[in-house]
Amino acid sequence: MYHNREYLTELSEKFNEKIDFDRLINVTFNVDTEDVKFYTFSEGLDYFNKYSKDEKINQYTSYKNKKLLQDYERKVTDFLGYKPDFSEILVDVIMGDVIYFTTSMASRKEFEKFYKTLLKKFNIEEKEFFEVLSRLNNKEIIDFETAFKYKTIWIAKVPLEKGYFKVYAEPFKYGNSFSFNEKTAKFLEKLLSCSPLEKECLNSCITIYEFGTGRTQVSTQDEALKSKLFRASRLNRKFKFEKK
């Protein structure tokens, strides 16, 4: 098992909900506050459950409606002021008017145009943006060329109405890294049963930064379980996050 079941049980004692560890995909750790969140798939893979120490926060339903996707693509086009190539800038999940885009497969040109537009929309200086990507990937990023070259962004969280812009990176998967503080390193060592932390334990780790709040998180992702669940259900579809 990817996550240490004994440690998961210990962590979940602070939660008010029972966690199905057999469907646990992500564990997220705030590097400053040490808050932990769990993400699980439902039995039919038709929604996610997101848990904090206080409650089960959200339930997300699966993405099924092609027309709805087209509606959201129109909303995105209006929001950005141009129409991205949605075969490269992929709508990954939707939560109300918050959209998560996968951009790791975009071309260099589309990647730069998309993020330049977002920086203007959220009033973020390019210097700050590259400093954040440098931290998330432990790599010197000075411009869009190096940001693209080193695959420094996996997903972007984009609120169309209110909220904060957030970026997700997969540094260890692409030969980059991340400087863990002591508490985060100890957490991951216990969670992944890997002490000291080694690269093969971290390949699926995600680093996250939220502009406007400075919130920095590290998340694990059980890719083998995710693939197994999808194969078992013969599903191959995107997800729409929708609060119930």
Side-chain angles (χ1 to χ4, degrees):
M1 183 178 180
Y2 181 67
H3 297 107
N4 182 326
R5 181 67 69 99
E6 184 177 343
Y7 190 44
L8 290 176
T9 302
E10 178 185 331
L11 290 170
S12 69
E13 290 175 357
K14 300 177 182 179
F15 289 39
N16 294 324
E17 298 279 348
K18 184 178 180 181
I19 313 296
D20 184 355
F21 295 136
D22 290 334
R23 297 182 178 279
L24 181 69
I25 300 299
N26 303 96
V27 177
T28 300
F29 182 80
N30 187 308
V31 304
D32 297 312
T33 67
E34 301 177 53
D35 287 339
V36 177
K37 293 179 181 178
F38 289 172
Y39 297 78
T40 67
F41 274 126
S42 68
E43 185 174 352
L45 297 188
D46 53 351
Y47 62 85
F48 290 114
N49 284 319
K50 176 183 175 182
Y51 303 87
S52 73
K53 64 182 179 181
D54 299 316
E55 60 182 341
K56 182 166 67 174
I57 301 175
N58 289 311
Q59 193 175 73
Y60 302 120
T61 63
S62 65
Y63 188 79
K64 299 178 181 179
N65 192 320
K66 186 174 181 180
K67 181 181 183 302
L68 188 60
L69 177 58
Q70 293 172 342
D71 290 342
Y72 271 94
E73 288 178 350
R74 282 193 289 272
K75 286 185 178 182
V76 171
T77 299
D78 291 341
F79 177 77
L80 295 177
Y82 86 99
K83 184 177 181 178
D85 184 340
F86 289 109
S87 68
E88 296 185 22
I89 304 297
L90 305 177
V91 175
D92 187 26
V93 291
I94 301 168
M95 184 175 69
D97 284 312
V98 177
I99 303 180
Y100 293 74
F101 296 91
T102 299
T103 63
S104 56
M105 294 177 283
S107 65
R108 163 80 169 77
K109 180 180 178 181
E110 196 69 29
F111 176 91
E112 181 171 345
K113 185 173 184 179
F114 182 69
Y115 282 107
K116 275 188 172 181
T117 303
L118 287 176
L119 295 187
K120 290 180 181 178
K121 292 293 296 188
F122 291 102
N123 196 28
I124 299 168
E125 297 288 337
E126 287 188 6
K127 180 181 179 182
E128 179 188 1
F129 182 64
F130 297 135
E131 286 174 350
V132 166
L133 297 187
S134 296
R135 292 199 298 275
L136 291 183
N137 295 272
N138 200 23
K139 201 94 170 178
E140 185 179 10
I141 305 302
I142 59 173
D143 52 25
F144 285 101
E145 182 178 353
T146 51
F148 178 80
K149 177 181 178 181
Y150 295 115
K151 299 182 182 297
T152 55
I153 308 177
W154 172 39
I155 284 177
K157 174 188 174 183
V158 180
L160 301 184
E161 291 189 356
K162 60 181 180 179
Y164 298 102
F165 172 52
K166 185 186 289 190
V167 289
Y168 297 68
E170 296 180 294
F172 299 97
K173 182 176 287 188
Y174 296 111
N176 304 327
S177 62
F178 182 75
S179 295
F180 300 111
N181 61 26
E182 184 177 356
K183 290 179 179 179
T184 306
K186 287 183 177 179
F187 174 81
L188 289 173
E189 286 175 359
K190 292 181 70 174
L191 182 66
L192 302 176
S193 301
C194 186
S195 180
L197 285 174
E198 299 176 352
K199 185 179 183 300
E200 54 266 29
C201 300
L202 298 170
N203 277 343
S204 297
C205 279
I206 302 160
T207 53
I208 308 163
Y209 183 85
E210 187 173 74
F211 290 88
T213 67
R215 182 170 59 167
T216 304
Q217 299 167 292
V218 172
S219 182
T220 61
Q221 179 162 259
D222 192 337
E223 293 184 338
L225 176 60
K226 187 176 180 179
S227 297
K228 178 182 177 181
L229 292 175
F230 270 80
R231 286 197 303 271
S233 63
R234 297 181 181 180
L235 291 177
N236 182 20
R237 61 192 180 197
K238 298 182 176 69
F239 288 89
K240 171 199 166 189
F241 279 15
E242 183 177 277
K243 193 170 182 178
K244 287 192 174 181

